[in-house]
Amino acid sequence: MSVVIPSIKDDVLTLESVPEDVPVSVEREGSLNEARNRGIENAETDIVAVLDDDIAFSEELFYALVDEVDEDVLLGVADWEFGLVAGRVMIFYKSLWRDIDGFNERLHSHNGDTDFSLRAHNAGYSVKTVPRHLFYHEDHERSITTWDRAWRLMYLCGKHVRYAPYILSATIAYNLGLEAGISKEQNLPASIRHAVDELEPE
């Protein structure tokens, strides 16, 4: 397997956690989704992990998650709103990426993971998630405006009509949950629970 990390940073935190024997490509050109696609296209392995540049994790957890992936599975950390896979950690076979025509480059740097997950599910693949807290993540502000979020929501609903009611209801539930101080997390599959080595920020 190999790892793709889109990043424009000089210091890429994620590199410190990737096992030494795993090939890594840090993609620095183009938008986020363009970088993802280029890295995957150039990968010479069947399995690819697409990772954000600001996370940390144990080697044991990394390999446990890889072992959960087969040709019919998209696996990764749960996103914030839809219960789909977030771009922070996505692991899949390159054949899946090829089958659904890669990441949507029109979406540039936001919601490409949501669109990718919906297309994978619609094509018959299984979308499996694990909790975000298993990976340490450096906090930073999200650079997206309310108008941009609204445009992307309308775009996703228009493109994925079958899923539009779910997308809208999940968005409303998520935002109401934020107002009420409630967060939604996914459960870790029992088959990899034994391998979890949670990382806490120092």
Side-chain angles (χ1 to χ4, degrees), residues 3 15 43 52 65 73 84 99 106 113 139 149 155 158 190 199:
V3 167
L15 290 173
D52 276 358
L65 293 176
V73 169
L84 299 169
D99 185 37
R106 182 180 181 186
D113 47 5
D139 290 332
R149 285 179 58 83
Y155 177 84
L199 293 178

Side-chain angles (χ1 to χ4, degrees), residues 72-92:
D72 299 317
V73 169
L74 166 61
L75 176 71
V77 297
D79 67 14
W80 291 259
E81 295 181 56
F82 308 112
L84 299 169
V85 172
R88 185 175 297 178
V89 177
M90 307 181 84
I91 308 174
F92 47 85

Side-chain angles (χ1 to χ4, degrees), residues 53-118:
D53 59 9
D54 53 3
I55 60 174
F57 48 88
S58 72
E59 183 172 316
E60 186 180 18
L61 174 60
F62 178 81
Y63 282 120
L65 293 176
V66 172
D67 287 343
E68 288 293 304
V69 177
D70 61 36
E71 293 183 355
D72 299 317
V73 169
L74 166 61
L75 176 71
V77 297
D79 67 14
W80 291 259
E81 295 181 56
F82 308 112
L84 299 169
V85 172
R88 185 175 297 178
V89 177
M90 307 181 84
I91 308 174
F92 47 85
Y93 271 72
K94 190 172 179 178
S95 57
L96 180 155
W97 169 84
R98 187 179 296 111
D99 185 37
I100 64 173
D101 296 324
F103 286 89
N104 186 343
E105 296 182 2
R106 182 180 181 186
L107 289 170
H108 300 293
S109 298
H110 292 286
N111 288 124
D113 47 5
T114 304
D115 177 76
F116 189 83
S117 295
L118 289 172

Side-chain angles (χ1 to χ4, degrees), residues 22-35:
V22 175
V24 181
S25 174
V26 178
E27 296 294 331
R28 301 185 179 279
E29 300 295 328
S31 69
L32 175 59
N33 289 322
E34 289 171 345

Side-chain angles (χ1 to χ4, degrees), residues 20 23 26 43 54 83-84 96 123 130 134 154 156 159 175 191 193:
E20 292 183 0
V26 178
D54 53 3
L84 299 169
L96 180 155
V130 296
L134 298 180
M154 291 186 290
L156 289 172
K159 183 176 180 181
N175 285 283
S191 58
R193 188 172 294 120

Side-chain angles (χ1 to χ4, degrees), residues 124-140:
Y125 293 95
S126 176
V127 178
K128 298 183 178 180
T129 63
V130 296
R132 293 189 300 276
H133 72 262
L134 298 180
F135 294 81
Y136 168 70
H137 176 247
E138 286 187 330
D139 290 332
H140 60 84

